[in-house]
Amino acid sequence: MTTIDPVTLAVLGGRLEQIADEMDATLYRSAFNPIIAEARDACHGLYHAETGDTLVQGTKGLPIFVGAMAFAVKSVIDLVKTRGGLSPGDTFLFNDPYDGGTHLNDFRLVRPVFRNGTLFCWLASVGHWLDIGGNVPGGYNPKATESFQEGVRFPPVKLISAGTINQDILDILAANTRVPLSNWGDLNGQLNALDLGERRFHALLDEYGDATVTAAFDAFSDRAEALMRSALRSLPNGTYSFEDYLDNDGITDETLVIALDLTIRDGSMVLDFSRSSPPPQGPINISRATAVAACYVALKHVFVEVPANAGCLRPIDFVIPDTTLLGAKAPKPVAGYTETILRLIGVVFGALAKADPARATAGPFGTINALSIAGHRADGSRWVMFSFFGGGLGGNPRSDGLNHANNPISTATIPPLEILEAAYPIKFTRWALRPDSAGAGEHRGGVGAVYEIEVLSDAEVSLLGERGKVAPFGVAGGDPAALNRFHWQTDDGERSPPMVSKVTDVRIRAGRRVRLETPGGGGWGDPAARDPERVARDVRFGLVSPEAALSRYGVCVDAEGRPLADGATIGEKRVGEKREGEAA
C-alpha cells in the first residue's frame, strides 16, 4: 500500500477540489438557463470506482447533491454490472428521482475515467434544467399525484457510447420540453465540464502517479470518518427527538409531520425518521437517497470541520422506512422535494440543539417558493421563467440570523432581477426586505423579503411553497417568524391560494402582478433580553416597526428609533445603556 505524507495529501486535496471547481465554473459560464448560470443550481465531483462514494466535490456546487450524487453514480455502476459494455468515452444520462436523483428537472451525467484500460473513478455533473414537460411549465406541479404529471423520466441511459453521441436520445429530450434550446445549452455545458474535468484529472495522475492519488482518496475518506466520529463523541449519549410540519401536500389541506429520533452512542449516530407521515398523494415526497443527502447537508452545517466526503457518513445509520414520505417509491410525485428536505434539515438542527444547546439555531424560512411564470411571446414562442426566492435565517447563540438569505440546502444564489427581466417579459416592481417578518429574540431571526412581479404579456402562474401555515420555529425562548404569503391580481381584486402556499392554473393578463412575501427566521432567546438599542436600530433600518418593537420587545420608539417619553425605559434599563460588564 502506498503511503502519503501530510503535505502531499494537502496539495492533492487542493488540486482535486480545484478540478471540481473548474467543472462548476465551466457549466456556470456556458449554461443557457439562469437557474444554473446565475443561481448555480448544479454540482460536479469525483466518485469511487466501485462504490460510487463521493471523493471530492467542488466548493461552489449545491451541498444537497453531494449525498444524492453518490447514489446516482451507484445506480450507473449497478447498470454496468448487469449489462456490461463500459468503455472509455461513455457518458450516461438520467433524471430518475427514485434511483439516485432528486426531482425530474435535475439531470445527471456520469462518465467513467479509465487508466491503462482499467476503471479508475467516475466524474459526474448535475444541473437543474428549466423545463422537462409535465402539466406545469417549470416542473413544479403542486397538484401532481404521480410523477407522470411532473415531466418525462429517464432511467440511466448511455447518451454517449465510446465518444459517439446518441442522436435518438437528443431527439427525445428536445421533444419533451417547452424550451428545447435552453436544455440543449445546459446539456452541452455539462458535457464540456466533464471534458475539462477528465483532462485535468489525467494531467494530475500523470504528475503524481495513480497509486499516490488512490492513496489520497483512501486518506480523505478515513480522515472524514475520524473527524465525524470525534465530533459525535463531543456530544452526550442519548436519544433526542424533534418534529416539524409541512402545510399540506397540495391535494389535501392537512399538515404532515417530519419526525426524528436521533440517538448518539460513543461516536456513532442513528437518525430514525419512522414517526414521519406516510407518503401523501401530492408532490412533497422524497426518495431515500434524497433524505440521506439532506441529512448530510444538515450535519455539514453543524460540524463544519468535517470535509465533503462520503467517509463522514460511515458512523451514521439511517432509518428511513418506505412507509414514510421520506422513502417514497415510484411513481409517487416528488416535484416539491425541496420543501421536504428543508423541513428534514430543520429537524436535524432541532434534535442536535437538544443534545448541545450551544449549537441551537432557530428555524430558517424553510421554503424555496418555487415560482413559475410562463406564456407566449409575440412570435408565438414559449417562455418559461422559473426562480426561487430568499428569506431570513434563524437566530443563533452568537448573532441574529441573516436577512434575505438562501436556504441551508444550497450555496445557490437568487437570480438577479436584471437577468430575469432581460430573459423574460416580466418586470419587478418591488424587491425589498419584509419588516416584522423575523422571529423576535435576544438574537432575532433574519427578515424575509417582498417580491412583486408584473407580467408584460398574458401568463400562467404556479407556486409550490411552504411555511404558509406552520411558521419557522424559535428556540431557547425565541418567537416564531412570520408566515409565507402569496397574492395575485385579478379584475375583482387580489387573491391568494386556497392551499395557502401552493397553487397552479392561475392565469393573469398583461399588466397584472403577483406578490410573494417570504418568511423570516425564528428568534433565539428571550426577546426581553435583547438590548433596546439594537431594537431601536432595527426600527431605524426598517426591519422592525415601532408597533412590533413595543409589542414584541417592550421597547417604545418612534419610526426613527428614538425613545418616546412613555416607555423609554424597561425596568431599570434605558435605551442605549450598557449592561454591566459590557465595553463602553
Side-chain angles (χ1 to χ4, degrees), residues 124-334:
S125 169
V126 57
H128 178 118
W129 292 12
L130 189 58
D131 181 88
I132 192 62
N135 289 7
V136 171
Y140 280 80
N141 181 2
K143 292 186 177 179
T145 56
E146 54 185 1
S147 64
F148 307 108
Q149 298 162 355
E150 298 176 323
V152 64
R153 174 181 160 201
F154 276 79
V157 294
K158 197 176 286 189
L159 174 67
I160 300 175
S161 181
T164 301
I165 199 162
N166 187 331
Q167 184 63 42
D168 291 342
I169 293 177
L170 295 180
D171 292 343
I172 294 170
L173 288 168
N176 283 278
T177 175
R178 298 169 177 86
V179 287
L181 183 61
S182 175
N183 289 359
W184 170 246
D186 295 345
L187 171 61
N188 278 279
Q190 289 181 260
L191 290 172
N192 289 334
L194 291 176
D195 290 343
L196 175 73
E198 191 171 9
R199 292 196 304 272
R200 293 286 193 267
F201 188 57
H202 279 298
L204 180 69
L205 291 170
D206 292 340
E207 181 178 350
Y208 283 89
D210 296 10
T212 299
V213 175
T214 298
F217 284 158
D218 293 338
F220 294 149
S221 297
D222 292 343
R223 179 172 177 267
E225 177 184 3
L227 287 171
M228 180 58 81
R229 290 193 186 278
S230 176
L232 294 178
R233 288 192 187 99
S234 70
L235 301 176
N237 288 342
T239 297
Y240 308 93
S241 300
F242 198 85
E243 300 84 30
D244 202 355
Y245 300 88
L246 293 160
D247 292 341
N248 52 55
D249 69 344
I251 306 298
T252 303
D253 197 14
E254 297 177 358
T255 56
L256 299 102
V257 64
I258 307 294
L260 170 62
D261 299 309
L262 182 154
T263 300
I264 297 172
R265 286 286 182 271
D266 303 325
S268 64
M269 175 187 288
V270 178
L271 299 171
D272 186 346
F273 293 94
S274 301
R275 295 188 296 109
S276 299
S277 291
Q281 283 185 288
I284 58 170
N285 301 282
I286 61 175
S287 68
R288 175 184 172 85
T290 306
V292 171
C295 292
Y296 166 85
V297 173
L299 295 171
K300 189 68 176 70
H301 274 283
V302 176
F303 305 119
V304 295
E305 68 278 6
V306 179
N309 182 286
C312 70
L313 297 181
R314 291 175 185 169
I316 302 170
D317 290 323
F318 299 90
V319 181
I320 306 172
D322 57 14
T323 54
T324 71
L325 79 167
L326 307 179
K329 304 291 186 181
K332 281 291 184 180
V334 295

Side-chain angles (χ1 to χ4, degrees), residues 21-221:
D21 283 344
E22 281 196 78
M23 295 169 71
D24 286 341
T26 297
L27 178 56
Y28 300 152
R29 292 172 182 173
S30 58
F32 286 16
N33 160 22
I35 296 301
I36 296 178
E38 298 291 337
R40 300 185 173 184
D41 194 345
C43 173
H44 297 85
L46 288 78
Y47 302 85
H48 193 277
E50 296 177 1
T51 65
D53 287 347
T54 302
L55 298 171
V56 178
Q57 188 209 8
T59 58
K60 304 298 190 294
L62 251 62
I64 189 61
F65 289 144
V66 176
M69 284 300 288
F71 285 92
V73 176
K74 182 64 164 59
S75 70
V76 173
I77 293 172
D78 291 342
L79 178 68
V80 171
K81 287 180 179 178
T82 302
R83 299 183 182 178
L86 185 66
S87 304
D90 289 349
T91 301
F92 295 83
L93 172 144
F94 66 109
N95 69 339
D96 191 334
Y98 315 100
D99 193 10
T102 40
H103 68 153
L104 294 176
N105 291 75
D106 292 337
F107 267 82
R108 286 153 168 79
L109 300 181
V110 178
R111 176 178 294 179
V113 176
F114 282 85
R115 293 286 287 182
N116 301 316
T118 301
L119 178 65
F120 191 87
C121 71
W122 299 85
L123 296 177
S125 169
V126 57
H128 178 118
W129 292 12
L130 189 58
D131 181 88
I132 192 62
N135 289 7
V136 171
Y140 280 80
N141 181 2
K143 292 186 177 179
T145 56
E146 54 185 1
S147 64
F148 307 108
Q149 298 162 355
E150 298 176 323
V152 64
R153 174 181 160 201
F154 276 79
V157 294
K158 197 176 286 189
L159 174 67
I160 300 175
S161 181
T164 301
I165 199 162
N166 187 331
Q167 184 63 42
D168 291 342
I169 293 177
L170 295 180
D171 292 343
I172 294 170
L173 288 168
N176 283 278
T177 175
R178 298 169 177 86
V179 287
L181 183 61
S182 175
N183 289 359
W184 170 246
D186 295 345
L187 171 61
N188 278 279
Q190 289 181 260
L191 290 172
N192 289 334
L194 291 176
D195 290 343
L196 175 73
E198 191 171 9
R199 292 196 304 272
R200 293 286 193 267
F201 188 57
H202 279 298
L204 180 69
L205 291 170
D206 292 340
E207 181 178 350
Y208 283 89
D210 296 10
T212 299
V213 175
T214 298
F217 284 158
D218 293 338
F220 294 149
S221 297

